[in-house]
Amino acid sequence: MSVAARHPQGFLRTYIFSTDHKVIGIQFLFTSLGMLLIGGLLAMLIRWQLGWPGALLPFMEKIAPTGFPGGQMAPDYYNMLFTMHGSVMIFFAIIPLLVGVFGNYLIPLKIGAGDMAFPKLNMISYWLVPPAIAIVCAGFFLEGGAAQAGWTSYAPLSAVSTTFKSGQVCWIVGIIVLGASSIMGAINYITTIINLRAPGMHFFRLPLSIWALFITAMLVLLATPVLASALILLLLDATAGTSFFLPAGLVVDGVALAHSGGQALLWQHLFWFYSHPAVYIMILPAMGIASEILPVFARKPLFGYHSMVYAIMGIAVLGFLVWAHHMFTSGMNPTLGTSFMVSTMVIAVPSAIKTFNWLGTLWRGSIRFTTPMLHALAFVSMFVIGGLTGIFVASTPVDLYLHDTYFIVGHLHYVLFGGSLFGIFAGITFWFPKMFGRQLNEALGKLHFALTFVFFNAVMFPMFILGIGGMPRRIYDYTQYAHLAEVGGLNRMMSVAAFCLGLAQALFIVNFFWSLFRGRKAGDNPWQANTLEWATSSPPPHGNFATTPTVYHGPYEYSVPGRKDDWLPQHLKADI
Amino acid sequence: MRIWLPEAVTTTAPAIDRLFYLILWITGSVFVLVQAVLLWFLIRYRRRPGRRASYIHGNELVEVIWTAIPALILVFLTFQSQRVWSQVRGSPPPPDLEVEVQGEQFAWNIRYAGADGELNTADDITTINELHIPVQQTVLFHVKSKDVLHSFFVPQFRMKLDAVPGLTGRLWVSATTTGNFEIACAELCGLGHYRMRGFLVIESRAAFDAWLAETATSG
């Protein structure tokens, strides 16, 4: 019996509690784009304080009276802002956009399957996300506000603070719930890719985006349980009086605490054992998307398909061996710093291979500058900056100086915005026609791209300069420091650019919703691409394919000599 | 307006700066090269009527070359870094002075040994947020914390070390210049993190001894 025949009827089962991977992917899309907007608004408030420290925001006093006494931002509110900005962006925007949206939407379509291996598990994995968001964000409405210990929630601060205890507990519980969702999704992706590939879809005929999501799912599956365990230990330390991360002799607010026997550095090891692989969870799928889009619009096979796959595997394996490079200044044994520097330097090699292969793909191509292509090219260009600046902080002695300064903030934004988010924009603009059957407006799309690209660099690049100048991150009011007397002007310029960057996103929202209803009809294969999702209608029906396709070629057979069309779909048994 | 590396005031800071500039030159060159090639390809290989893309899947020799070159550069950087790292964070030379720096929300407690020459005895000399050290002498800091994580950061030292409750971190410097500097807390420690600022005075041994004696009597 075909999947289509089992299609449950009724609005609730079709659009809300759906087990269809495409509906779930689109649910993830709307949820995480909403969270991207919220995370962005939090960033605007951060930039307000950094541009004009202490300047009044009277309307915020009405929204958050305790956070803005007299209209002026309070220091603990600032701490909450960057904590929640980071948490919302990483856990509720970037990871669900890359893994939740593209994983769910693309995997069955691109491997020629009717749906995921475990559709109900898939539905549960989505429906754990809204509660997770609600729990973490509930902190905003509790006394003391949401979590304020940074997205890293370093112990002991996260465990012993009395002022934002409820917000911190919400944060911990919400992230545990989200972790459960991620693990379910990962099991589903891995099983689906291993078992449900269409006939002829060998592993080395998989599109790079599927390879990337496959390896990412393994990272999620292996790393998330470690975070979940660490979070449970932290929750116990914070609420039940245990001492996993709390040593003896702590005196907080003049009160001697009864904890003893714990180790503060243990939290950092456990946290980064998850969170460094999480960086790759946030970049590998974007790399996959770029590897997918560049050949389509260069009309050329991907350069070095096999080495691209091995590079992803290499990054994933090494990604588990580099976590303590976040801890060079943490007070851990300096010898350990040496070993983590070595592994970190090694991981730069596969990243370099990928970059050169992308350039190789463009070489002697016939490049079409569509909106998704522009975003994919920006991904390559910006990821280079993110990667190269990583070498500074991989070098242990240089990190002694640059760690916890704005250099790190710049570096991580070049990876997560310049890399991940441009990858996400590339993916959304590329697959929008497949998801909704209509084309986005190209002119609006290109304008959105251009403004985003320019203002992104105007906000983030000066961060490197500030970091080199010694400006620490997470500082509510840098005017306290004489050695930072000169950073005000640059910070104001960055804040203006940040507001423009925020405003430019309105173009994306307008384009998205206008095209959803009024966009030009897309047709099955508007980009003349090879992979299987373009072999079915836009949007695809429940069950995806009328008959299961058979795969005859690799995914990137573009400009095959002697063939009239410059593309050769994977399912087409064409004798050229 | 000039925002760049602040003055370097210790014997080890220039080595860190040299390493920084080495990496800046290497990554800067790679950056310019990659972006230029990218831009050139985008212009040179833009879509033009009548021209078809080349059907090329890769080239093993080229791929081996562009794997090997970054690998060699990174090996070189690793060795350069390790040389400086073992100098900066390896075993300290015999110190002329030992000082305890303890972070607490939101101040730096500074502790010097009294007449008995031992830290953590009854005659210790303590100050808050005021750290004096003699120039051209090896000073060993014992970095501790009373409550949560802090990080002892003096930009002009090019170094920071987290103050971890339950552990004592050791950081040594030998200052080359006298002057007044700031100590910043570089690890989020709560509401007052941003104002956890200390003052560092590097002065001659004679001036330092005089200050310490005066502090001992006034304290």
Side-chain angles (χ1 to χ4, degrees):
Chain A
M1 189 169 65
S2 80
V3 183
R6 286 189 264 116
H7 187 196
Q9 302 299 313
F11 178 81
L12 209 60
R13 290 299 304 276
T14 310
Y15 295 109
I16 309 298
F17 296 105
S18 172
T19 54
D20 185 316
H21 73 98
K22 298 182 293 298
V23 176
I24 294 169
I26 290 168
Q27 287 173 328
F28 265 107
L29 179 66
F30 282 100
T31 310
S32 41
L33 281 179
M35 294 313 288
L36 185 68
L37 187 66
I38 291 175
L41 290 173
L42 296 174
M44 297 299 114
L45 287 172
I46 295 173
R47 281 308 331 168
W48 174 263
Q49 172 67 18
L50 287 172
W52 299 270
L56 299 183
L57 268 184
F59 77 92
M60 280 305 295
E61 194 181 4
K62 297 197 179 65
I63 299 171
T66 49
F68 284 80
Q72 191 180 44
M73 189 187 297
D76 48 344
Y77 197 84
Y78 180 82
N79 291 354
M80 181 179 84
L81 283 175
F82 65 70
T83 298
M84 294 304 284
H85 166 71
S87 308
V88 164
M89 285 304 200
I90 288 168
F91 294 116
F92 298 136
I94 303 290
I95 293 181
L97 276 167
L98 283 172
V99 184
V101 176
F102 296 114
N104 276 303
Y105 197 88
L106 296 180
I107 289 173
L109 277 169
K110 277 174 147 339
I111 65 172
D115 205 318
M116 286 284 185
F118 309 117
K120 283 209 179 65
L121 194 66
N122 211 17
M123 178 183 81
I124 299 169
S125 99
Y126 171 73
W127 278 107
L128 283 178
V129 175
I133 293 173
I135 295 169
V136 171
C137 294
F140 280 118
F141 307 101
L142 295 176
E143 200 182 326
Q148 290 161 24
W151 84 277
T152 52
S153 281
Y154 272 9
L157 181 62
S158 52
V160 301
S161 164
T162 47
T163 50
F164 56 90
K165 175 78 94 195
S166 336
Q168 187 66 47
V169 168
C170 286
W171 186 93
I172 295 170
V173 174
I175 302 298
I176 293 174
V177 174
L178 186 77
S181 154
S182 295
I183 293 170
M184 288 179 195
I187 292 170
N188 218 341
Y189 298 167
I190 295 169
T191 314
T192 305
I193 294 171
I194 292 177
N195 291 309
L196 299 187
R197 281 167 292 125
M201 182 63 93
H202 318 311
F203 269 99
F204 282 102
R205 281 181 181 167
L206 285 176
L208 250 292
S209 55
I210 299 305
W211 264 114
L213 287 163
F214 184 47
I215 308 280
T216 301
M218 291 186 188
L219 289 181
V220 171
L221 188 63
L222 295 173
T224 315
V226 178
L227 177 71
S229 341
L231 286 167
I232 291 169
L233 302 185
L234 183 63
L235 185 64
L236 292 173
D237 273 9
T239 58
T242 58
S243 305
F244 294 103
F245 308 118
L246 304 174
L250 294 186
V251 182
V252 180
D253 287 336
V255 181
L257 303 184
H259 297 276
S260 73
Q263 170 54 269
L265 286 187
L266 177 63
W267 166 260
Q268 297 180 36
H269 280 295
L270 293 175
F271 179 82
W272 289 114
F273 188 82
Y274 163 79
S275 292
H276 201 82
V279 172
Y280 296 105
I281 291 168
M282 292 185 279
I283 200 70
L284 290 180
M287 288 175 162
I289 290 169
S291 307
E292 195 76 29
I293 292 176
L294 293 179
V296 173
F297 296 110
R299 311 309 289 170
K300 202 172 153 266
L302 183 71
F303 200 95
Y305 174 96
H306 283 82
S307 57
M308 288 300 246
V309 173
Y310 297 134
I312 295 178
M313 293 177 181
I315 291 173
V317 172
L318 290 167
F320 276 108
L321 302 174
V322 298
W323 78 87
H325 69 206
H326 296 271
M327 299 169 60
F328 289 155
T329 68
S330 70
M332 73 177 183
N333 190 318
T335 313
L336 211 49
T338 302
S339 34
F340 280 96
M341 168 172 69
V342 171
S343 56
T344 306
M345 291 287 188
V346 174
I347 207 169
V349 176
S351 311
I353 294 173
K354 296 199 76 78
T355 305
F356 295 137
N357 278 324
W358 289 320
L359 291 179
T361 305
L362 297 171
W363 174 63
R364 298 178 66 181
S366 173
I367 301 166
R368 288 138 170 83
F369 294 99
T370 59
T371 309
M373 183 62 161
L374 291 172
H375 283 291
L377 291 168
F379 166 86
V380 174
S381 177
M382 297 297 99
F383 175 72
V384 167
I385 301 179
L388 289 175
T389 51
I391 295 175
F392 288 83
V393 285
S395 167
T396 42
V398 179
D399 187 62
L400 275 184
Y401 177 59
L402 293 177
H403 188 72
D404 270 325
T405 68
Y406 259 81
F407 194 91
I408 300 288
V409 183
H411 165 65
L412 76 91
H413 281 96
Y414 267 90
V415 176
L416 293 185
F417 193 137
S420 310
L421 199 53
F422 276 111
I424 287 164
F425 281 135
I428 292 176
T429 50
F430 186 66
W431 282 293
F432 187 93
K434 184 52 63 183
M435 288 177 172
F436 303 109
R438 289 175 188 273
Q439 293 276 51
L440 285 164
N441 182 296
E442 273 290 296
L444 263 181
K446 282 176 179 158
L447 184 63
H448 165 251
F449 163 77
L451 295 175
T452 303
F453 185 79
V454 169
F455 291 125
F456 159 73
N457 280 291
V459 188
M460 307 304 177
F461 200 85
M463 290 185 180
F464 295 123
I465 312 284
L466 292 177
I468 292 168
M471 178 169 166
R473 64 193 291 201
R474 296 172 167 171
I475 291 286
Y476 159 76
D477 182 5
Y478 53 79
T479 62
Q480 296 277 319
Y481 286 97
H483 78 274
L484 299 175
E486 292 184 332
V487 303
L490 196 55
N491 268 300
R492 275 187 286 285
M493 188 283 281
M494 291 156 70
S495 291
V496 172
F499 301 147
C500 295
L501 180 64
L503 283 177
Q505 304 316 305
L507 293 175
F508 179 79
I509 298 171
V510 168
N511 194 1
F512 191 100
F513 286 102
W514 186 85
S515 305
L516 201 55
F517 300 105
R518 295 267 183 277
R520 194 158 46 83
K521 291 267 191 214
D524 293 358
N525 190 1
W527 310 118
Q528 303 179 326
N530 286 343
T531 44
L532 292 181
E533 77 272 30
W534 307 105
T536 182
S537 60
S538 306
H542 191 74
N544 296 341
F545 302 94
T547 52
T548 303
T550 305
V551 174
Y552 298 97
H553 315 281
Y556 305 116
E557 294 298 298
Y558 292 100
S559 302
V560 181
R563 187 177 154 81
K564 188 177 130 298
D565 292 337
D566 66 356
W567 77 101
L568 175 56
Q570 283 191 282
H571 66 287
L572 212 62
K573 192 181 180 181
D575 37 357
I576 308 294
Chain B
M1 190 179 76
R2 185 181 169 276
I3 306 168
W4 198 246
L5 292 175
E7 184 188 1
V9 302
T10 65
T11 50
T12 48
I16 295 176
D17 284 0
R18 276 195 297 278
L19 194 58
F20 168 82
Y21 281 110
L22 175 71
I23 297 175
L24 185 63
W25 274 109
I26 292 174
T27 56
S29 314
V30 174
F31 166 75
V32 170
L33 201 73
V34 169
Q35 306 289 356
V37 167
L38 177 63
L39 206 61
W40 176 51
F41 282 179
L42 295 185
I43 297 166
R44 173 76 178 74
Y45 301 113
R46 70 189 183 278
R47 178 191 201 173
R48 274 170 298 179
R51 202 182 59 83
R52 209 175 152 102
S54 301
Y55 183 68
I56 303 166
H57 282 275
N59 181 318
E60 278 181 26
L61 179 67
V62 177
E63 290 182 53
V64 168
I65 293 172
W66 72 39
T67 306
I69 291 176
L72 289 175
I73 294 175
L74 289 162
V75 168
F76 169 70
L77 283 179
T78 306
F79 278 100
Q80 292 295 315
S81 300
Q82 181 52 31
R83 214 167 43 80
V84 180
W85 181 246
S86 53
Q87 183 192 349
V88 176
R89 294 288 287 125
S91 347
D96 300 306
L97 174 71
E98 299 191 42
V99 187
E100 185 185 293
V101 176
Q102 186 203 47
E104 77 165 289
Q105 291 174 326
F106 301 97
W108 296 103
N109 299 315
I110 315 291
R111 180 181 288 267
Y112 298 89
D116 63 358
E118 297 267 322
L119 277 169
N120 292 305
T121 52
D123 68 343
D124 282 354
I125 303 159
T126 59
T127 72
I128 295 172
N129 290 332
E130 200 178 349
L131 172 63
H132 286 235
I133 59 168
V135 72
Q136 272 146 4
Q137 295 217 294
T138 302
V139 181
L140 180 65
F141 298 108
H142 298 270
V143 182
K144 296 178 166 184
S145 170
K146 189 176 169 183
D147 38 39
V148 300
L149 296 177
H150 304 276
S151 190
F152 175 63
F153 179 35
V154 179
Q156 289 78 2
F157 287 176
R158 299 292 185 276
M159 278 199 271
K160 62 178 67 70
L161 184 64
D162 287 6
V164 184
L167 296 179
T168 303
R170 302 205 309 167
L171 190 74
W172 70 273
V173 297
S174 178
T176 52
T177 323
T178 57
N180 296 303
F181 307 96
E182 285 171 314
I183 304 164
C185 178
E187 187 67 76
L188 177 66
C189 59
L191 181 139
H193 166 59
Y194 72 99
R195 57 177 157 79
M196 187 165 159
R197 178 175 64 144
F199 299 92
L200 167 69
V201 179
I202 305 176
E203 56 199 353
S204 68
R205 182 76 209 203
F208 169 76
D209 287 336
W211 171 80
L212 195 63
E214 190 194 328
T215 310
T217 51
S218 67

